[in-house]
Amino acid sequence: MVRLLAAAAVAALLASAAADGPLATGLVQQGRHHNTESEPMCPGLYCGKSITNRNGSQLQYGECGVCPRGERTNNSKICDKCNESPDLYDWLYLGFMAMLPLVLHWFFIEWYSGKKSSSAFFQHVTALLECSAAAIVTLLVNDPVGELKIRSCRVKMLSDWYTMLYNPSPDYINTLHCTQEAVFPLYTIVFIYYAFCLVFMMLLRPLLVKKIACGLGKSDRFKSIYAALYFFPILTVLQAVGGGLLYYAFPYIILVLSLVTLAVYMSASEIQTYKDLFTKKKRLVVLFSHWILHAYGIISISRLDKLDQDLPLLALVPTPALFYLLTAKYTEPSRILSEGGNGH
C-alpha cells in the first residue's frame, strides 16, 4: 500500500513538471498560433482590417471593411499605408493627363484667334503658365503636403481602378462596401489638377484676353475660354469612367493621335517638300511638338527598362514626317487627276 502511494506521488510530480516544462508551453503556443491563423480572412479583393490600436509589438485590428484613404490591403488582408513612390510609367501617365487640357487650350486658342491675331502667342503662354501652376499646386497639396513629391500605391491590375465593382456579398444578401482608391493618388489627383486648372484659367485668362485681343470681335474674344468650360467636364467624366483604361492605353493613344494630327496638318498646310517646312516658323514648331509626342509615346511603351535596347527606338521619331515628305508627290491630287485624264 505504501509503495502504491509513493508511486502515485512520484507520477503526480512528474506530470506537474511536464505541464510547466517547454513541451507544454510549446503545445499551448502552437494552439494559440493555430487559432490566429484559423481566423477567416476578409472577403473580396479590397476589403481589409485597419489597425485600431497599437500597443508596443501587439496590434489590434478592426472588422473587415474599407481601408482609409492612402492605404490598401496586402496579401494578408490588412490595410497598409501607401509609402512607395510612383514609378516612371505612373509619372508618364500623370504627364499625359496633365497635357490633355493644355493641348486642348492651345487648339481652341489657335482655332478662335484667327490668322491675323497677335494675341494667340500670349494666350498660348498664359495657358502654359496656368497648367504649370496648377500642376505645382496639385503636388504641394497632396500627401506629403508641402513637398513636390507624392506617395502612392502600386497599380497591380485593371480592377484596382474600379473597386466599386468588386464589393463582396458574403451571405449573398448583404453587401460589404469596400470601395476605395487602391491606386492612390493616381485617380483623384487628376481631378484636383483639373480643378486648379479651371480656377487659374478663370483668374488669369479673361483679363489677358480683354487687354490684348483687340483684333477680335467682342463675341470671339472669349470663345477659347467658353470651349474650356465644355472640355473640362468632358475630361473629368473621361477620367472618372475610363481612368483605368487610359492608364494602360495612353502610350498607344499618343502615338496614333500624334501621327494622325501630323499628317492632317501637313496635308492642310500643303507641305510637300522640305523647303515648305522652313517657309514659316509655325510649321517647325508644330513639327517639333509632334516629335516630342512621338518620343513620349515610345518612352511610355518601352518604359526604358533596358536602355541599350529602348533608346535606339527614339531614332524612329522623325520617320513619319520623312515618310510623308518622300511620298507626298506620289499622292498629290492634281497629279493623280492629270494622269487619269491622260489615260496613264
Side-chain angles (χ1 to χ4, degrees):
M1 186 66 179
V2 175
R3 291 180 179 179
L4 291 175
L5 292 175
V10 171
L13 290 174
L14 292 175
S16 177
D20 295 334
L23 178 60
T25 304
L27 291 174
V28 173
Q29 290 179 350
Q30 183 178 1
R32 290 177 180 174
H33 183 67
H34 176 72
N35 291 335
T36 302
E37 289 186 346
S38 63
E39 293 181 2
M41 297 179 67
C42 295
L45 291 176
Y46 302 102
C47 295
K49 296 181 179 180
S50 301
I51 299 176
T52 58
N53 189 14
R54 187 186 299 269
N55 186 10
S57 60
Q58 296 182 352
L59 301 177
Q60 294 182 359
Y61 301 97
E63 297 181 354
C64 292
V66 60
C67 292
R69 187 173 186 268
E71 299 181 7
R72 70 169 296 171
T73 56
N74 55 19
N75 295 331
S76 301
K77 296 297 182 179
I78 304 299
C79 296
D80 279 345
K81 188 175 182 179
C82 303
N83 288 321
E84 299 182 7
S85 298
D87 57 15
L88 176 61
Y89 189 82
D90 294 337
W91 284 115
L92 291 172
Y93 166 74
L94 293 178
F96 168 73
M97 300 305 294
M99 283 191 299
L100 285 180
L102 178 60
V103 172
L104 290 174
H105 275 314
W106 285 348
F107 173 79
F108 286 109
I109 289 172
E110 194 67 28
W111 183 269
Y112 290 116
S113 293
K115 296 182 179 180
K116 297 182 179 180
S117 176
S118 60
S119 66
F121 173 76
F122 296 100
Q123 293 187 61
H124 287 317
V125 174
T126 304
L128 178 61
L129 293 177
E130 293 167 3
C131 294
S132 300
I136 294 174
V137 174
T138 301
L139 292 177
L140 291 176
V141 299
N142 272 275
D143 195 15
V145 180
E147 299 183 20
L148 290 176
K149 62 179 182 180
I150 56 177
R151 60 179 182 88
S152 67
C153 296
R154 287 278 182 252
V155 180
K156 298 179 180 179
M157 48 188 172
L158 180 61
S159 61
D160 291 346
W161 293 84
Y162 305 101
T163 57
M164 75 290 293
L165 303 178
Y166 295 89
N167 293 323
S169 299
D171 56 359
Y172 300 99
I173 298 176
N174 299 313
T175 301
L176 185 60
H177 296 280
C178 298
T179 302
Q180 58 187 284
E181 188 180 6
V183 294
F184 173 86
L186 301 182
Y187 188 75
T188 55
I189 195 173
V190 177
F191 299 124
I192 299 173
Y193 168 73
Y194 288 163
F196 280 118
C197 282
L198 189 59
V199 170
F200 284 119
M201 183 194 71
M202 297 306 297
L203 290 176
L204 301 177
R205 192 83 64 82
L207 297 177
L208 177 70
V209 172
K210 187 176 181 180
K211 291 291 184 181
I212 66 176
C214 300
L216 299 175
K218 292 184 178 180
S219 60
D220 296 333
R221 291 184 182 183
F222 301 100
K223 282 188 175 181
S224 62
I225 300 177
Y226 297 151
L229 297 179
Y230 282 99
F231 69 68
F232 267 118
I234 295 175
L235 291 178
T236 302
V237 174
L238 185 65
Q239 167 67 7
V241 177
L245 300 176
L246 289 175
Y247 178 81
Y248 290 101
F250 82 89
Y252 309 98
I253 294 175
I254 290 177
L255 283 179
V256 172
L257 290 182
S258 61
L259 290 175
V260 172
T261 54
L262 179 61
V264 170
Y265 175 79
M266 296 180 74
S267 176
S269 301
E270 298 182 354
I271 300 175
Q272 297 184 358
T273 62
Y274 298 100
K275 294 181 180 180
D276 295 336
L277 285 173
F278 297 95
T279 56
K280 295 181 179 180
K281 295 181 180 180
K282 179 181 176 181
R283 294 179 177 179
L284 292 176
V285 172
V286 173
L287 178 63
F288 289 134
S289 300
H290 280 82
W291 282 0
I292 293 174
L293 291 177
H294 295 344
Y296 196 95
I298 292 174
I299 293 174
S300 301
I301 292 176
S302 64
R303 305 191 185 189
L304 297 181
D305 294 330
K306 299 179 180 179
L307 291 178
D308 55 340
Q309 298 180 8
D310 298 335
L311 285 180
L313 294 176
L314 296 179
L316 299 174
V317 167
T319 302
L322 296 177
F323 178 80
Y324 179 90
L325 294 175
L326 291 174
T327 58
K329 59 182 179 180
Y330 301 109
T331 58
E332 208 280 322
S334 59
R335 178 179 177 180
I336 296 175
L337 292 175
S338 62
E339 290 181 354
N342 294 331
H344 294 292

